[in-house]
Amino acid sequence: MKGSSALLLALLPCLGACGKRQHGPPGPVMIRDITLPSTNVVEILSLSPLPSRPAQPTNQDADNPVAAQLGQELFFDTRFSANGEVSCATCHQPANEWTDGKALSVGLEQVKRNAPSLWNVAYQRWYFWDGRKDSLWSQALGPIEHPSEMGGSRLRAYRLIRDTPAYLKAYESVFGMLPALSGGTDVVDARPVPDNPQDAMHKAWVSFPALDRTAVDRVFSHIGNAIEAFQRQLISTDAPFDHFVAALRAGDADGMGKLSDAVLRGMKIFTGKGQCTLCHGGPNFTDNEFHNIGLNRGGRSLDQGRFPAIEQVRKDPFNGKGIHSDNPSMEANKSLHYVAPKDNNLGEFKTPSLRNVTGTGPYMHDGRFHSLREVVVFYSTLPDTPAVGHREESLQPLHLDAREIDDLVAFLKSLTGRPLEADLLKPPEP
Amino acid sequence: MVALILTPVGGCRVEPEPTLDSATTASGDYTVRYEFEPDPIPRNEHFVMHVLLSRKDGLEFAPGLSVVVDADMPAHGHGINTQPEVTMVSPGVYKVEGLLFHMGGQWELFVDVMEDGIPDRATIPIKM
């Protein structure tokens, strides 16, 4: 035993010898006649400020301005799509909080889920409602090839870079020389369609030499890298709530008093009996993980959410541990490395950030709620039998009265941040 | 134990009588001493657990003995979203990676000492 404890000691820098950090809890705060107890204050402080965006080790150009500028062009370019009419901005509209205002998005045809806003996407751990992607660069490749969204292909995307002089120039300055293909010059669309080998795009894809396929995949992943760099700039912060927290930290009573009574009461519910911060916790108002909040099927086809997505992200050739990642190490991909499907993942969806939530409706993965009031009434009553799996047991009906519902909605409206620079809202000037 | 742990490591200040936290398995046969890195456990970030396993009767470990770690939130009906990996550093010393508590609240961390495929569980309550 003694030998092994000495070994353990050697493993730990401060084993036992350093006392645990002690922070006194902050005291309660009174603003006009509203008291925020100490437990609420602790939660409130944990929600702001938003730190700077996290590093992105699997894309070394994630913060490269030239890549971001190229990504911005690509984001608004409809030529990726099969009909030449759909771009990322069709469903993620800058003037519409980076979403489309629809319950279910429409590209080439209607899709099965609601388009999430792109605010603060840089801060997330998983992408899509079910988290079947582990990076923004890998996520961007999905809609380009999705038959209902843009219906294009990686070959079409490659050709667009090759044949657009401005794109080629920017591409080569960031990623190096564009690899040439040995054949297939007359083919427009080619991509793997593993579940339908008879698909014309799949047949075209497998007819390419392996080296060409690798080259196209490489360029495709770089397109994702550039689009990621653009989207990392879509940051929502400096909301009235953040100003409140700054004033709270500074002990500035006047600053804190700028929020209305309704917002303050709503904040108290959000961080107290509403238990909203259990999941919508931390400065981006999300735990970046998945929960089953017990929504029913809503008259739609069954959506299993997180469970099947875990296998998908682990097998994805464009994940952070794959050959197109700029850092496939385990250290850089801990979340992917350790993720494993659990029974409770059935029917779970990602906790959305609530920053700028006022304008991002309709709400939920299928856009079933058209107003924030409807969302809050849902949490107040929890009327549904879950479509699949079990509702997380920490969620119990809150039985809020009409004023409390209004207060919680008023609080959510205090999370709208400073607008972006105008030049991020449109394709860059040539 | 205590004397060993008191040895100042890495220039840290020595506190009076510090000890590792510990738990006992259901059978009472094993003591699980543990330390988290970082400590306290950060919410929603990966952390490492170091485990020091010992037998109450002081005997040798059975051949093939292994340790499995999992965690649960009893009030929520769900657990941890990862599959923690346990590496044996030397007999009785284990390093557990891939732990992440994504929510605040009451967690239970399970250390299962597996002998012949049968778990003997130590339960460690953790308030996040």
Side-chain angles (χ1 to χ4, degrees), chain A residues 294-315:
Chain A
L295 294 166
N296 62 21
R297 218 185 254 212
R300 304 239 161 83
S301 59
L302 182 62
D303 191 333
Q304 305 202 330
R306 180 60 172 158
F307 189 80
I310 295 175
E311 254 340 272
Q312 281 176 280
V313 70
R314 293 211 292 198
K315 289 197 182 130

Side-chain angles (χ1 to χ4, degrees), chain A residues 25 83 145 169 173-174 181 265 317 362 364 396:
Chain A
N83 66 358
E145 294 193 327
K169 187 161 170 263
S173 81
V174 178
L181 302 186
R265 287 191 305 259
M364 303 299 176
Q396 295 299 331

Side-chain angles (χ1 to χ4, degrees), chain B residues 2-20:
Chain B
V2 173
L4 256 174
I5 289 163
L6 273 171
T7 320
V9 185
C12 297
R13 198 158 44 96
V14 179
E15 301 281 329
E17 302 222 346
T19 102
L20 287 182

Side-chain angles (χ1 to χ4, degrees), chain A residues 135-334:
Chain A
S135 74
L136 269 179
W137 64 265
S138 178
Q139 185 287 326
L141 312 179
I144 295 176
E145 294 193 327
H146 195 294
S148 317
E149 296 191 25
M150 298 163 85
S153 69
R154 58 195 70 183
L155 182 65
R156 181 187 289 258
Y158 168 92
R159 294 171 62 111
L160 187 60
I161 300 290
R162 187 192 62 191
D163 301 341
T164 312
Y167 289 179
L168 184 62
K169 187 161 170 263
Y171 179 95
E172 295 200 324
S173 81
V174 178
F175 304 109
M177 220 176 55
L178 188 87
L181 302 186
S182 62
T185 40
D186 50 342
V187 185
V188 176
D189 280 309
R191 68 178 182 94
V193 190
D195 47 3
N196 183 12
Q198 294 313 309
D199 188 290
M201 290 200 205
H202 185 82
K203 285 184 167 165
W205 180 248
V206 293
S207 75
F208 274 74
L211 270 178
D212 283 358
R213 279 183 270 160
T214 310
V216 170
D217 277 353
R218 191 83 194 122
V219 174
F220 197 37
S221 74
H222 286 153
I223 289 172
N225 291 163
I227 297 176
E228 167 162 46
F230 166 61
Q231 294 182 93
R232 278 168 68 81
Q233 304 170 96
L234 310 179
I235 292 176
S236 163
T237 183
D238 280 346
F241 173 73
D242 296 299
H243 295 287
F244 171 87
V245 177
L248 174 63
R249 288 184 199 279
D252 164 10
D254 288 348
M256 287 190 274
K258 285 188 183 139
L259 291 185
S260 71
D261 287 0
V263 173
L264 292 168
R265 287 191 305 259
M267 186 188 305
K268 185 169 173 177
I269 300 172
F270 191 87
T271 54
K273 75 170 178 183
Q275 296 203 312
C276 309
T277 53
L278 272 179
C279 304
H280 300 280
N284 200 25
F285 289 79
T286 169
D287 59 359
N288 295 315
E289 289 291 331
F290 304 83
H291 301 275
N292 186 334
I293 63 169
L295 294 166
N296 62 21
R297 218 185 254 212
R300 304 239 161 83
S301 59
L302 182 62
D303 191 333
Q304 305 202 330
R306 180 60 172 158
F307 189 80
I310 295 175
E311 254 340 272
Q312 281 176 280
V313 70
R314 293 211 292 198
K315 289 197 182 130
D316 193 319
F318 292 101
N319 71 22
K321 291 170 98 181
I323 56 168
H324 300 294
S325 165
D326 290 337
N327 185 348
S329 71
M330 197 272 271
E331 268 313 295
N333 295 282
K334 277 189 185 162

